[in-house]
Amino acid sequence: MELPTLLLILISTLLIIYFIFNSVVLKQKLPPGPTCFPIIGCSYIVKKYSIKYGGFSKALTELCKVYKTDILGLRLGGSYTVVFQADNHIKEVFLKDEFLGRPKNFFIYLRSMCTNKGITMTDGFLWHEQRTFAMKHLQNLGFGKEIMEKLMQEEIQKFINSVQKDGLKLGIKLAVSRCVLNVLWTLVAGFKINTEEIDELLTLMHKRTKAFDLAGGTISQFSWIRFIAPESSGYNLINQLNYKLKNIISRAIEEHKATYSKHTTRDYIDAFLHEMYGAQDKHTTFTDDQLIMGCLDFFIAGSETTSTSIIFLLLHMIRSPDIQEKVYEEISSILKPGQISSLSHRDQMPYVKAVMLENERMTPVAPIAGPRRVLKDISIGGYTLKKNTTVLLNIMASANDENKWKDPAVFSPSRFLKNNFQVEKEKLLTFGRGKRRCPGEKLAKGFIFLFFSSLLNNFKIKNSDDNSIPSLQCLPGIVPTPLPFELTFTPRRTSVTEFNPIILKNGDAINKNGEIKRVLALP
């Protein structure tokens, strides 16, 4: 058969598939959205809008404007996807059991080391049993309690000492991420990962968040692309990260098994081994694979989001020095010079909490919540969603809704204050609602408060270049991060007569002379 004939047959087949596909779609009451072609879906237009408007969530917001809807339908990641961005619909998805599922695409399969286990990206009985178990035992081990607070204070003190000593040579984001993970990993595995390993893993995690979006990227839609472009598709990156993480986690588990005692619970791994060794049912969810994946979920959860929230907070303080001074006034009225704050100080610092909430609203580190999978047919917002439909929740659109917030583009902590005291927070949807509410919320909020208040009690922060203001524009990815910027930490009180402020990039740290100067803060 000649080539022109083959091409004609191929084109005809694709057209037939296209018309059949659209005729089926038209019979259903589905949300408006861009034309979805067979095989490639709508990825091409979402990619185009992401580049044009600066990120996945902004692309979805603009597409909703184009189609004049708050409920957008499109085909992404190999499955039909519906995007919600109105508060009433987002809350309904959060709270209804029909939306408790997770998508079953190739990216999530890779993320789970090809096991379909873990907590974050699973559903059904396994998810329910393992999430309940994890929350119960992490709380027993100190999650949200004094022991966790002391671990956080210790890490924050080390961070501040490091700034005073050498200016954080590896960069501020890496240093903050290291602090968060050391706290979390101590509760999970009873020890801190050595610095060299943790820095390598955090670097890989950062690359992962930039290589994919919530739909899983190209590899989720075209899994075969890993055979043609394993590097550019992110396939090699995920495998490399999985390999290193599995080695660290497996080593920790083997060490626990070698020193195991049924009468001792040192950490989460011990608690899990008690259940695993005592299980009578051969179909138990307490297995070695599940333990590895549960630990992986904790690692991923703690590696990017909390540290990125802190980086955004510092960025807002640079951009709004008047707000920074007001924050310091409140902190210095409660804390002594050089003091590390306590969680008991939160109710005494309503303005600090309001600044944190405004940071959470204006620059959420999870602008798209989800992804969810519909577990059975359901009607919402006047449309019918079939079983296995993927659902994304555009939190960023809600956070910038002019009907909900006055001047949403302005960083204004006062919007969360009532009578200059009571903090209003119920409007925020960042950590979710219902049964899938973020289990790390206490750790994240507690650490951010302690870190932010302690840091500003010790240092004044400003832009290293007095003639420019760093942008709020973000690098796209699963967790958006600000463009690289430079900041200067100046101790609020210093014991040296000649002082060169420390300059910290969102990368390596230097001062204007290309050297790190030792800075001593008064006790």
Side-chain angles (χ1 to χ4, degrees):
M1 191 177 293
E2 296 182 0
L3 182 60
T5 305
L6 283 172
L7 288 174
L8 181 61
I9 293 172
L10 177 61
I11 293 170
S12 300
T13 303
L14 289 175
L15 285 172
I16 291 169
I17 293 172
Y18 172 74
F19 285 118
I20 291 173
F21 171 80
N22 279 280
S23 66
V24 171
V25 168
L26 290 171
K27 288 179 182 178
Q28 301 176 24
K29 194 173 183 182
L30 294 177
T35 301
C36 296
F37 294 99
I39 302 176
I40 64 172
C42 304
S43 298
Y44 68 99
I45 193 167
V46 174
K47 185 73 171 178
K48 175 183 173 182
Y49 273 59
S50 294
I51 294 171
K52 182 177 180 179
Y53 294 103
F56 187 53
S57 64
K58 292 180 180 179
L60 297 179
T61 300
E62 291 302 320
L63 283 169
C64 283
K65 290 178 182 178
V66 170
Y67 293 95
K68 299 177 181 178
T69 182
D70 282 328
I71 305 176
L72 183 72
L74 31 78
R75 185 164 288 274
L76 293 173
S79 65
Y80 184 70
T81 301
V82 175
V83 180
F84 294 97
Q85 62 177 34
D87 275 20
N88 59 325
H89 296 135
I90 291 175
K91 291 175 182 176
E92 188 173 351
V93 171
F94 276 146
L95 297 174
K96 285 197 171 182
D97 287 355
E98 288 88 345
F99 296 101
L100 286 176
R102 289 295 197 198
K104 298 186 181 300
N105 59 44
F106 189 69
F107 171 73
I108 291 176
Y109 179 67
L110 280 180
R111 182 201 176 280
S112 68
M113 300 183 186
C114 306
T115 65
N116 289 324
K117 289 182 170 59
I119 303 171
T120 307
M121 302 309 293
T122 55
D123 51 43
F125 176 75
L126 184 147
W127 164 74
H128 182 266
E129 182 175 54
Q130 289 297 324
R131 188 184 192 278
T132 303
F133 171 83
M135 293 306 299
K136 174 185 174 183
H137 286 281
L138 284 176
Q139 287 169 1
N140 289 343
L141 293 162
F143 205 71
K145 298 180 181 178
E146 184 179 358
I147 185 171
M148 185 182 79
E149 179 179 4
K150 290 190 179 299
L151 288 170
M152 292 191 290
Q153 289 173 323
E154 178 186 336
E155 289 298 322
I156 292 165
Q157 184 66 70
K158 287 179 181 178
F159 178 93
I160 290 173
N161 291 346
S162 183
V163 172
Q164 293 169 345
K165 182 180 179 182
D166 60 17
L168 298 175
K169 293 179 180 178
L170 290 177
I172 188 169
K173 190 175 190 308
L174 188 63
V176 175
S177 297
R178 189 191 297 162
C179 291
V180 179
L181 274 175
N182 275 335
V183 172
L184 190 57
W185 203 248
T186 300
L187 295 176
V188 171
F191 66 92
K192 298 174 183 179
I193 306 173
N194 74 64
T195 301
E196 184 178 335
E197 279 187 317
I198 201 172
D199 290 348
E200 183 181 9
L201 286 169
L202 287 170
T203 300
L204 287 172
M205 286 300 305
H206 183 66
K207 289 180 180 178
R208 170 189 172 273
T209 63
K210 297 291 150 275
F212 301 97
D213 54 38
L214 260 294
T218 305
I219 199 170
S220 183
Q221 185 164 1
F222 309 114
S223 59
W224 47 264
I225 203 169
R226 69 189 188 278
F227 300 116
I228 302 172
E231 195 65 39
S232 60
S233 68
Y235 179 71
N236 285 350
L237 174 63
I238 294 178
N239 280 336
Q240 184 183 6
L241 180 62
N242 283 349
Y243 175 78
K244 292 183 180 298
L245 277 170
K246 190 171 184 177
N247 279 346
I248 290 173
I249 296 168
S250 297
R251 189 167 67 241
I253 293 171
E254 291 307 313
E255 289 173 359
H256 278 70
K257 287 181 176 179
T259 56
Y260 175 77
S261 169
K262 64 181 180 181
H263 304 297
T264 304
T265 306
R266 297 164 291 186
D267 44 48
Y268 174 78
I269 293 178
D270 270 347
F272 192 99
L273 291 177
H274 294 333
E275 293 289 328
M276 190 168 77
Y277 290 153
Q280 302 296 321
D281 184 359
K282 65 178 181 180
H283 300 297
T284 178
T285 65
F286 290 89
T287 63
D288 282 319
D289 282 346
Q290 175 59 36
L291 178 53
I292 290 171
M293 282 311 306
C295 292
L296 174 72
D297 283 341
F298 292 128
F299 192 101
I300 291 176
S303 63
E304 283 286 325
T305 52
T306 302
S307 59
T308 302
S309 288
I310 290 171
I311 298 302
F312 273 120
L313 261 175
L314 301 184
L315 179 56
H316 287 302
M317 293 303 95
I318 290 173
R319 290 171 56 88
S320 305
D322 55 328
I323 292 177
Q324 181 182 168
E325 285 309 302
K326 193 170 180 179
V327 167
Y328 177 67
E329 286 175 14
E330 183 176 75
I331 294 171
S332 61
S333 70
I334 306 297
L335 302 182
K336 297 176 182 178
Q339 184 180 352
I340 302 297
S341 63
S342 165
L343 293 178
S344 62
H345 292 131
R346 280 188 290 193
D347 290 339
Q348 299 172 268
M349 299 183 187
Y351 191 72
V352 170
K353 290 201 293 182
V355 169
M356 288 171 53
L357 288 168
E358 180 65 345
N359 177 63
E360 186 182 323
R361 179 200 69 83
M362 193 169 180
T363 45
V365 293
I368 301 291
R372 302 291 182 97
R373 178 172 60 89
V374 178
L375 296 177
K376 65 179 181 179
D377 295 1
I378 184 173
S379 294
I380 178 171
Y383 299 104
T384 300
L385 274 59
K386 293 292 184 180
K387 181 180 178 179
N388 292 326
T389 298
T390 297
V391 172
L392 299 177
L393 307 174
N394 196 350
I395 303 296
M396 179 64 87
S398 170
N400 286 281
D401 185 354
E402 293 182 353
N403 296 318
K404 182 178 178 181
W405 311 98
K406 182 182 178 182
D407 299 324
V410 177
F411 189 83
S412 177
S414 61
R415 71 175 85 245
F416 288 101
L417 292 174
K418 187 176 182 180
N419 300 323
N420 292 319
F421 185 74
Q422 184 179 356
V423 175
E424 301 276 334
K425 63 180 181 179
E426 64 272 4
K427 290 182 180 180
L428 288 178
L429 301 169
T430 319
F431 287 90
R433 304 278 174 87
K435 295 177 181 178
R436 277 199 180 271
R437 189 180 185 107
C438 176
E441 184 176 357
K442 281 186 178 180
L443 173 65
K445 288 185 174 180
F447 189 89
I448 292 169
F449 171 79
L450 292 177
F451 191 98
F452 181 57
S453 55
S454 299
L455 196 66
L456 263 66
N457 187 44
N458 281 271
F459 300 102
K460 182 176 182 177
I461 306 166
K462 70 172 188 174
N463 190 27
S464 299
D465 184 355
D466 294 331
N467 298 317
S468 68
I469 299 175
S471 172
L472 285 177
Q473 185 178 347
C474 296
L475 297 168
I478 296 175
V479 177
T481 54
L483 295 173
F485 64 94
E486 234 180 42
L487 55 87
T488 300
F489 281 5
T490 304
R492 292 285 180 177
R493 298 166 182 83
T494 178
S495 60
V496 293
T497 55
E498 184 178 353
F499 168 64
N500 287 318
I502 295 173
I503 298 174
L504 297 175
K505 287 184 179 181
N506 204 9
D508 291 335
I510 58 171
N511 69 13
K512 292 187 183 297
N513 300 318
E515 301 173 338
I516 300 296
K517 296 293 184 180
R518 181 178 176 84
V519 180
L520 300 175
L522 285 174

